[in-house]
Structure formats: structure tokens, C-alpha cells
């Protein structure tokens, strides 16, 4: 029998099975409890909430149907219960897995949650982008990421850099990564580049053939790492070196938006050091050595 439990991470040493990232101490995590293949009891596989959305959508059996089947759900704070419920609502569904409370009493649910929506991929040119929140991932033929985003803004669209439930459309070119997985889990509409070109009024004969530079690939990698690297909420973060596409102040503002705490120097209380380009200067090298020392 497979059971699911939810709790606050106790040590900060567990890792999400789906995203391969560390789950911070105190962060809400979901555990999938299965029988050990060695016959020596049960084993628990841990997931962050976003990671569980991906894993639950991919699973062929033993999926979580409702938060009512989560052991320990009632022990969470009200705001965290709301967060878990709303997040799983977009990616939950499938065959129900039974669970039990801490006392061993089985806990059933008469409610049936809605099945996960399938991401809609289309190559037709119908539908505008005005007022739509759009995220772009992967490579787009003949255009850099900056050009694509500028054209979306010019057509009245809203550019998003990460996939959340507020995103209306994900434009997925070749090389799409975790953003596409999340879009499928959340039921977000997915466009290929042909539909994007049609919506922008660009024919195949008149595409602007601009070389896609390395900055686009580096920006994509940085965004993927951010999405796969887990949340920086509540973490202290210090930046050194140059960050692609933004100033130091802009980077610190983005960190604050994500719930992080920017720091100007390295101390023992620092959680993350972001080392950008051109870290060869003496003072930067000293900072990096200090980070390693801690």
C-alpha cells in the first residue's frame, strides 16, 4: 500500500526526487511512502510541493487524488494548507492512493478532485496574445529571446520569466526543460513557434534571421536552474561578479521578489553565494575563498 504524508522538513538535508534540489529546513514537503524492495519495512521518497506536482502528473499509478489523503495535512498552518491545496489542485488527479492518520486509522475521502488538465499544443494561428501572460522557453528560430519578448510586449502581451499558475501561454521551442513539465502539470496552454509566429503576424518567408547568441542559452540555463534549484524564499543571498542581463541592483530586486534576503558581504549566516562572470578580480577571489572557508 502506498501512502502520502506532508510535513515541515526537519533538517534541510532531504532532496526532492523530481527536481534533485535540497528541501530547506521548515519548508513544506510531501513524502511518498512505499514498501522497501528489500523487505525491511517502508521507505519514504521526498518531494518539494512543485516537484510533487510534476511527479504526480507523470505517475501511472499510486497518485494522490486529494489533499484529504495526505497524512499530517491538518497539522499544517492554515496558510500552508491553502498553499498546498491550491498548488496541488492544478496538478493532482489520477488513481486514488489510500493513506492513514498518525494513529493508523484509515482516512477516506468522498470528494473527487478534478483530473489534471492536459497541456494543449497547437500550431494554428488562431487566438491573440493581447493581455495574456506568456513565458518563452527553448530556442526560437531566427530570433533571440530579447526580440521575441519585445514583440510579445508590442502586441500587448505580458512577459513572464517563470511558469506559475498565472501564466496563460508557454511558448516552447527546441530544448525546453522543466518549464514545459510544469506547464503540462498546471494545464497551461503550450504553443510551438509556428503558432507564435502566426500570432505575431510573421510569415515563414519574412522571419527575422538573427543569430541566437550565447546569452540566450545562458539565460535559459540560469532560469532552468532557478526553477529546478528550489525556492530561495527566506534564504540570505550574496551576489559577486556580473549577472547576465541585469545589474546588481536589479538582481537584488529579483531576489527580494522571490522572498530572498540580499546581503552585501559573506558571513557564516549566509545561505547562498551567487558567483557571476568575471570573478577573476582579487577582491572577488577573496570573497569566493571566504565562502569556501565557511
Amino acid at each position: 500500500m502506498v501512502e502520502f504524508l506532508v510535513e515541515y522538513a526537519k533538517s534541510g538535508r532531504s532532496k526532492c526526487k523530481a527536481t534533485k534540489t535540497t528541501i530547506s529546513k521548515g519548508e513544506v514537503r510531501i513524502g511518498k511512502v512505499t514498501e522497501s524492495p528489500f523487505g525491511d519495512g517502508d521507505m519514504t521518497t521526498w518531494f518539494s510541493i512543485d516537484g510533487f506536482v510534476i511527479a504526480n502528473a507523470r505517475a501511472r499509478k499510486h497518485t494522490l487524488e486529494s489533499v484529504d489523503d495526505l497524512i499530517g495535512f491538518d497539522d499544517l498552518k492554515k496558510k500552508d494548507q491553502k498553499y498546498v491545496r491550491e498548488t496541488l489542485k492544478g496538478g493532482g488527479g489520477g488513481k486514488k492512493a489510500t493513506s492513514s492518520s498518525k494513529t493508523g486509522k484509515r482516512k477516506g475521502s468522498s470528494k473527487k478532485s478534478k483530473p489534471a488538465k492536459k497541456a494543449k499544443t497547437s500550431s494554428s494561428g488562431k487566438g491573440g496574445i493581447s493581455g495574456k501572460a506568456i513565458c518563452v522557453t527553448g530556442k526560437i528560430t531566427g530570433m533571440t529571446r530579447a526580440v521575441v519578448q519585445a514583440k510579445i510586449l508590442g502586441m500587448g502581451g505580458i512577459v513572464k520569466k517563470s511558469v506559475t499558475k498565472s501564466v496563460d501561454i508557454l511558448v516552447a521551442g527546441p530544448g525546453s526543460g522543466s518549464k514545459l513539465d510544469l506547464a503540462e502539470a498546471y494545464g497551461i496552454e503550450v504553443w510551438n513557434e509556428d503558432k507564435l509566429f502566426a500570432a505575431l503576424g510573421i510569415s515563414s518567408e519574412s522571419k527575422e534571421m538573427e543569430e541566437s547568441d550565447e546569452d540566450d542559452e545562458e539565460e535559459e540555463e540560469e532560469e532552468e536552474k532557478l526553477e529546478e534549484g528550489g525556492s530561495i524564499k527566506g534564504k540570505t543571498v550574496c551576489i559577486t561578479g556580473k549577472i547576465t542581463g541585469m545589474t546588481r541592483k536589479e538582481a537584488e530586486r529579483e531576489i527580494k521578489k522571490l522572498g530572498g534576503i540580499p546581503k552585501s558581504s559573506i558571513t557564516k549566516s549566509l545561505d547562498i553565494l551567487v558567483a557571476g562572470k568575471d570573478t577573476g578580480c582579487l577582491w572577488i577571489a577573496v570573497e569566493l575563498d571566504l565562502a569556501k572557508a565557511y
Side-chain angles (χ1 to χ4, degrees), residues 61-227:
K61 59 180 181 178
H62 302 311
T63 58
L64 179 70
E65 182 182 356
S66 168
V67 293
D68 293 328
D69 295 322
L70 278 173
I71 301 171
F73 181 75
D74 293 337
D75 296 331
L76 298 179
K77 297 177 182 177
K78 294 297 182 183
K79 64 176 183 178
D80 293 326
Q81 288 182 4
K82 181 180 179 181
Y83 167 69
V84 172
R85 190 183 298 277
E86 291 180 350
T87 303
L88 297 187
K89 185 177 180 181
K95 187 177 178 181
K96 181 179 178 181
T98 59
S99 63
S100 61
S101 64
K102 290 182 179 179
T103 59
K105 184 179 179 180
R106 291 205 171 184
K107 197 175 178 182
S109 172
S110 59
K111 297 181 181 179
K112 292 184 179 179
S113 62
K114 295 180 180 179
K117 300 177 183 177
K118 292 183 179 180
K120 299 171 285 184
T121 305
S122 173
S123 60
S124 66
K126 296 180 180 179
I129 61 177
S130 179
K132 300 289 183 66
I134 302 174
C135 179
V136 181
T137 186
K139 296 180 181 179
I140 303 300
T141 303
M143 282 192 277
T144 63
R145 181 78 56 81
V147 170
V148 174
Q149 292 175 341
K151 289 184 177 294
I152 290 172
L153 291 171
M155 296 288 287
I158 304 166
V159 174
K160 296 288 186 179
K161 289 190 175 182
S162 59
V163 175
T164 64
K165 289 185 179 180
S166 65
V167 170
D168 298 305
I169 299 167
L170 176 71
V171 178
S176 301
S178 63
K179 287 187 176 71
L180 182 57
D181 292 331
L182 277 175
E184 291 173 345
Y186 288 144
I188 295 171
E189 183 176 3
V190 177
W191 284 8
N192 57 25
E193 63 178 28
D194 290 335
K195 183 164 186 179
L196 173 67
F197 291 141
L200 295 176
I202 301 174
S203 64
S204 57
E205 292 80 12
S206 61
K207 289 178 185 175
E208 298 177 25
M209 298 308 294
E210 298 183 18
E211 290 296 329
S212 178
D213 55 23
E214 292 182 359
D215 285 345
D216 268 358
E217 296 179 7
E218 290 174 358
E219 181 182 350
E220 179 74 14
E221 289 175 1
E222 288 171 4
E223 290 176 6
E224 295 292 344
K225 285 178 181 178
L226 179 60
E227 295 215 347

Side-chain angles (χ1 to χ4, degrees), residues 278-293:
D278 300 332
T279 56
C281 298
L282 178 60
W283 70 273
I284 294 177
V286 171
E287 281 196 356
L288 288 173
D289 289 342
L290 183 57
K292 291 175 183 178

Side-chain angles (χ1 to χ4, degrees), residues 212-278:
S212 178
D213 55 23
E214 292 182 359
D215 285 345
D216 268 358
E217 296 179 7
E218 290 174 358
E219 181 182 350
E220 179 74 14
E221 289 175 1
E222 288 171 4
E223 290 176 6
E224 295 292 344
K225 285 178 181 178
L226 179 60
E227 295 215 347
E228 295 179 358
S231 172
I232 62 171
K233 186 176 181 179
K235 301 287 184 65
T236 54
V237 184
C238 178
I239 300 175
T240 184
K242 294 181 179 179
I243 303 300
T244 303
M246 62 178 69
T247 65
R248 182 77 59 85
K249 291 294 183 183
E250 290 172 338
E252 290 176 348
R253 282 198 294 270
E254 290 300 318
I255 290 171
K256 288 181 179 179
K257 286 180 183 179
L258 293 170
I261 306 167
K263 293 291 183 180
S264 58
S265 60
I266 299 173
T267 65
K268 289 184 177 180
S269 64
L270 187 70
D271 296 309
I272 301 170
L273 174 66
V274 178
K277 294 181 179 179
D278 300 332

